[in-house]
Amino acid sequence: METRMWRELLMPYKAAVDELCMKFSHINNEYKSMGEYSPIVSVEGRVKKVSSILEKAQKKNIDINDIEDNIQDIAGIRIICQFVEDIWSVVEIIRNRSDMKIIEERDYITHSKASGYRSYHLIILYEVQTISGTKTIKTEIQIRTLAMNFWGTIEHSLQYKYRSQMPEHIKKRLQVAAEAIIMLDKEMSSVRDEIMNAQNYMNHTDAVISEILNNIQNLYGVANRREIDKIQAEFYRLYELKDLAMLERFANELDVIAEGYRAQQVQEGF
Ligand code: 0O2
């Protein structure tokens, strides 16, 4: 295939990867902006390099004209979670979406690969709009914990270095490390509620502080300087105390003040 043809072929895959990364990041932001725990830590995506596509096609005996049907990870998304439980939440989120259709699932968490590799894989169908119409793109979504990702990334680079000739002693070490990763994920899951509470508290405090600062910013245009200085001083006092309940009460009071100014503006015909 000519270089130009590859570029045309891969263009909708790039669109799918960009759109999906944006959509998953948005889910993450939505949870955070509501001050809630997000099962997603980060999202990354890539379009497989032409050399890797050719290598995979050769390894699996796939005709070059059939690669779009038979290579399922030309578009790839990786979603990183904190805990194994979060992986199942992300799978449910994807299952309930109308813009992503799951056609295949591979559970390498319950059944890890012989290498020790663990991750949950979904193959989805995703529609992108191109200048020549709608195109349905197969995309592989890998969902894994931070710990699984640490192992997978290191093992992948070793695989790349040794190709199919990874020395036995390194294979063994990696298997031992994979066992340790299972233990680590289990240990972290056992304190998940504690960690989630702490993170929820932090997220919620951030959301309340943002709301207060937003209201103070808006008051600059309408309230008098002395009132704003007083509000500002009260905010710093409560901020120093780090008392969430008091900050929440203050945020509610500011809402009432801001609402009062809004009503006044409407009356004055602004
Ligand atoms: P890359 O460089 O990650 O894009 P296979 O024929 O088994 O290689 P298949 O049938 O497409 O792959 O599906 P599978 O097994 O679900 O693997 C797809 C992807 O999962 C791989 O892509 C890897 O990213 C990851 N993966 C699978 N097995 C392992 C493993 O043992 N170690 C690591 N580190 N990753 C793994 P590619 O095509 O290998 O390439």
Side-chain angles (χ1 to χ4, degrees), residues 46 48 52 56 59-60 72-73 78 106 108 113 115-117 121 140 142 144 151-157 159:
R46 62 99 183 96
K48 214 174 179 68
S52 305
K56 196 159 191 169
K59 193 173 117 194
K60 293 191 149 192
Q72 297 181 309
D73 66 341
R78 187 169 289 160
R106 293 185 202 151
Y108 298 130
K113 285 199 160 187
S115 58
Y117 177 74
H121 291 193
E140 181 185 77
Q142 301 182 343
R144 43 171 88 160
W151 185 96
T153 307
I154 285 172
E155 197 259 5
H156 192 272
S157 41
Q159 260 188 40

Side-chain angles (χ1 to χ4, degrees), residues 33-35 203-219 231 235 244 247-256 258 262:
S33 70
M34 292 193 304
N203 287 344
H204 188 55
T205 308
D206 285 350
V208 172
I209 288 172
S210 299
E211 196 190 322
I212 292 174
L213 292 175
N214 210 16
N215 264 334
I216 294 179
Q217 175 96 26
N218 291 338
L219 283 175
I231 289 171
F235 166 62
L244 181 56
L247 280 167
E248 275 177 327
R249 218 168 306 129
F250 184 61
N252 289 337
E253 283 164 20
L254 273 191
D255 272 344
V256 174
R262 257 192 299 275

Side-chain angles (χ1 to χ4, degrees), residues 45-58:
R46 62 99 183 96
V47 175
K48 214 174 179 68
K49 283 190 284 187
V50 173
S51 57
S52 305
I53 296 175
L54 291 173
E55 202 177 307
K56 196 159 191 169
Q58 199 176 26

Side-chain angles (χ1 to χ4, degrees), residues 30-263:
E30 221 180 312
Y31 276 110
K32 284 192 181 148
S33 70
M34 292 193 304
E36 280 183 30
Y37 175 82
S38 171
I40 297 173
V41 173
S42 62
V43 183
E44 53 193 58
R46 62 99 183 96
V47 175
K48 214 174 179 68
K49 283 190 284 187
V50 173
S51 57
S52 305
I53 296 175
L54 291 173
E55 202 177 307
K56 196 159 191 169
Q58 199 176 26
K59 193 173 117 194
K60 293 191 149 192
N61 224 356
I62 296 166
D63 188 284
I64 199 76
N65 297 308
D66 298 332
I67 54 167
E68 285 196 90
D69 287 332
N70 295 319
I71 298 187
Q72 297 181 309
D73 66 341
I74 297 178
I77 302 290
R78 187 169 289 160
I79 298 176
I80 310 298
C81 307
Q82 293 194 108
F83 306 102
V84 178
E85 291 80 354
D86 299 338
I87 295 176
W88 315 130
S89 304
V90 174
V91 173
E92 275 317 297
I93 289 172
I94 297 172
R95 229 187 271 293
N96 289 325
R97 286 192 70 110
S98 55
D99 54 350
M100 303 173 199
K101 183 173 186 292
I102 300 174
I103 54 163
E104 215 177 296
E105 296 186 42
R106 293 185 202 151
D107 181 357
Y108 298 130
I109 294 177
T110 319
H111 309 285
S112 54
K113 285 199 160 187
S115 58
Y117 177 74
R118 286 165 74 240
S119 187
Y120 199 88
H121 291 193
L122 296 175
I123 307 296
I124 62 155
L125 295 181
Y126 180 75
E127 281 185 356
V128 289
Q129 305 301 321
T130 73
I131 48 173
S132 31
T134 305
K135 188 171 163 78
T136 304
I137 297 291
K138 270 187 196 166
T139 304
E140 181 185 77
I141 305 182
Q142 301 182 343
I143 314 165
R144 43 171 88 160
T145 61
L146 286 157
M148 291 173 195
N149 192 47
F150 173 52
W151 185 96
T153 307
I154 285 172
E155 197 259 5
H156 192 272
S157 41
L158 287 170
Q159 260 188 40
Y160 188 80
K161 177 177 175 194
Y162 293 110
R163 296 281 151 181
S164 54
Q165 266 129 35
M166 180 141 20
E168 274 310 308
H169 71 278
I170 294 184
K171 271 193 202 167
K172 282 259 158 58
R173 290 259 168 203
L174 284 168
Q175 277 158 359
V176 172
E179 290 297 321
I181 294 290
I182 295 177
M183 282 308 294
L184 176 63
D185 273 333
K186 274 197 184 136
E187 283 298 321
M188 290 315 234
S189 284
S190 71
V191 285
R192 180 171 181 259
D193 286 348
E194 195 73 28
I195 297 170
M196 273 173 65
N197 280 344
Q199 289 173 346
N200 275 344
Y201 181 83
M202 263 170 55
N203 287 344
H204 188 55
T205 308
D206 285 350
V208 172
I209 288 172
S210 299
E211 196 190 322
I212 292 174
L213 292 175
N214 210 16
N215 264 334
I216 294 179
Q217 175 96 26
N218 291 338
L219 283 175
Y220 267 97
V222 285
N224 69 49
R225 186 74 213 194
R226 207 140 36 100
E227 187 176 13
I228 293 174
D229 285 348
K230 232 173 85 190
I231 289 171
Q232 197 105 258
E234 179 63 358
F235 166 62
Y236 288 134
R237 190 182 74 80
L238 297 176
Y239 183 77
E240 298 267 295
L241 291 175
K242 296 262 180 293
D243 185 320
L244 181 56
M246 286 171 98
L247 280 167
E248 275 177 327
R249 218 168 306 129
F250 184 61
N252 289 337
E253 283 164 20
L254 273 191
D255 272 344
V256 174
I257 294 174
E259 195 47 52
Y261 276 107
R262 257 192 299 275

